[in-house]
Amino acid sequence: MSERTNGPETSGAGTHPSTSTLKAAHGSLANRLPDTFIPAAEAAVIPPLLSYSLLPWRQHAAEGIRLLARYGWTYCEASEGMILGDAGQHFADELARNEVAVSAVYAFLAFSNPGREREMYWHHSRIAVEMRRRGYRSVILGPADVLRGAPQEEDLRRFVRITGETAARYRDAGIRVAVHPHLGSPLFLSGSIERAMEELAEDIGLVPDCGQLAEAGIPLVPLIRRFGPRIHAIHLKDAAWITTEGGEPIPGGRRRTRPADLGCGSLNADELLAELSAASYTGGITVEDERRGRPPEEGLRANTRFLESRGFRPKSRPVEEL
């Protein structure tokens, strides 16, 4: 969800993929977006639920909600800090005033400080209680920690154990849980995702991120087909490769990409949408804008225009149908 920094990651004998490998994994595909994509209301397959992340507004979530409503969005992805305490009541009031609903809450999972596990479980129990009270039905667990080196076997084991313990708090409150692979965490490369999803309970889902998949060199469609209904949502974004003038990777670069508006990066958002259509994907799609140094409305305007020009409408089916 948020931008992370970390050194090269390994998984077993594998290493963080080279730029050429990453580009090959996300190159041209046979399935292209039609000239006129079928609008949601006319689609033969149930369309995905479309949501927009409030991340760019951070402590100004109320402003973000009002802007989302102005641009026709009816669902947003919140972060844990927006829903707790007095801010949580203001947040809920603003949602009601603007007729915007929460598709999911992004909550942070600390996995590298064993001495504070009890405190973390209490914190997630608090989030679960508040989510149940407000009717927020899905939580996404993303890493709060950044590993300084390559993840070790014990890191993945601890991540799986802590995720399972944390998920129990939400399960007891009737909230569905998913994990979010991210650079700098034990859950990043394809091998670690495969291993974690095998060991976690079947009701724990996965929320892949197009930018993080590009960093890891993981093609989108095989991942969707591999995990099927366990894909609760997808974080949709575009990104540009970071290279030198000669097209080589930035020496010592920790991130291989930088955020871009949909249609303005190297990942080819048209092909990403076409892949989802070809895979008959009907889960959630949440647009994330990680660009900094500009008013968030600029990204909202650009990303909304891109989706609408492809026939995707922000107003979509109720979250209860997912």
Side-chain angles (χ1 to χ4, degrees):
M1 179 179 179
S2 58
E3 191 167 347
R4 305 283 185 179
T5 58
N6 185 47
E9 178 181 354
T10 63
S11 178
T15 61
H16 194 140
S18 67
T19 298
S20 59
T21 300
L22 296 176
K23 288 181 178 179
H26 294 270
S28 298
L29 297 172
N31 298 312
R32 299 280 179 170
L33 193 71
D35 293 336
T36 303
F37 196 87
I38 301 174
E42 302 171 14
V45 176
I46 298 175
L49 179 140
L50 296 178
S51 177
Y52 203 96
S53 171
L54 288 171
L55 170 68
W57 288 274
R58 299 183 183 276
Q59 67 268 33
H60 304 293
E63 176 189 351
I65 292 169
R66 291 191 290 270
L67 284 170
L68 290 187
R70 185 183 305 169
Y71 281 82
W73 291 83
T74 52
Y75 291 97
C76 67
E77 183 178 291
S79 64
E80 60 178 60
M82 297 173 184
I83 71 166
L84 296 175
D86 292 339
Q89 182 61 57
H90 297 315
F91 182 79
D93 292 343
E94 201 66 42
L95 290 172
R97 276 193 291 269
N98 290 275
E99 298 182 338
V100 174
V102 170
S103 61
V105 173
Y106 192 100
F108 291 96
L109 188 70
F111 58 85
S112 62
N113 191 344
R116 300 188 66 181
E117 281 188 29
R118 181 176 298 182
E119 178 184 344
M120 184 191 65
Y121 294 145
W122 177 88
H123 176 67
H124 281 281
S125 294
R126 182 181 172 216
I127 296 173
V129 168
E130 191 64 19
M131 288 183 65
R132 181 175 183 176
R133 187 166 77 91
R134 301 288 184 190
Y136 308 150
R137 300 178 65 249
S138 296
V139 67
I140 301 168
L141 300 178
D145 308 315
V146 178
L147 296 173
R148 294 303 176 186
Q152 305 299 313
E153 172 69 18
E154 64 185 58
D155 295 316
L156 184 58
R157 286 201 306 267
R158 184 165 57 247
F159 178 87
V160 169
R161 178 180 59 79
I162 290 176
T163 298
E165 290 283 350
T166 304
R169 274 72 180 169
Y170 293 100
R171 188 182 295 114
D172 290 344
I175 296 164
R176 68 177 193 162
V177 182
V179 291
H180 180 277
H182 207 296
L183 176 66
S185 83
L187 192 69
F188 176 55
L189 296 177
S190 58
S192 63
I193 295 173
E194 184 78 24
R195 167 90 174 274
M197 296 307 287
E198 284 180 357
E199 296 189 10
L200 290 170
E202 283 290 329
D203 64 343
I204 297 178
L206 184 68
V207 176
D209 178 303
C210 292
Q212 298 298 322
L213 293 181
E215 292 280 348
I218 303 173
L220 178 61
V221 164
L223 190 74
I224 293 174
R225 290 177 174 158
R226 169 68 182 88
F227 293 107
R230 294 186 76 181
I231 304 287
H232 287 188
I234 290 169
H235 281 175
L236 179 67
K237 63 184 68 168
D238 209 337
W241 299 108
I242 300 174
T243 60
T244 64
E245 291 184 3
E248 296 299 319
I250 297 294
R254 296 180 175 180
R255 288 294 296 258
R256 305 299 182 97
T257 65
R258 60 175 178 270
D261 292 331
L262 292 176
C264 298
S266 308
L267 302 188
N268 196 333
D270 276 334
E271 288 188 351
L272 291 174
L273 293 173
E275 291 175 15
L276 295 177
S277 177
S280 298
Y281 177 72
T282 58
I285 294 177
T286 296
V287 177
E288 271 198 324
D289 176 18
E290 291 187 340
R291 295 189 65 181
R292 300 291 183 265
R294 64 171 183 177
E297 185 178 2
E298 290 184 15
L300 174 61
R301 182 187 303 114
N303 291 324
T304 302
R305 286 178 175 173
F306 176 88
L307 288 172
E308 290 189 338
S309 71
R310 272 66 179 176
F312 284 83
R313 304 289 184 261
K315 291 184 181 297
S316 57
R317 76 188 195 277
V319 69
E320 287 77 10
E321 293 184 12
L322 283 178

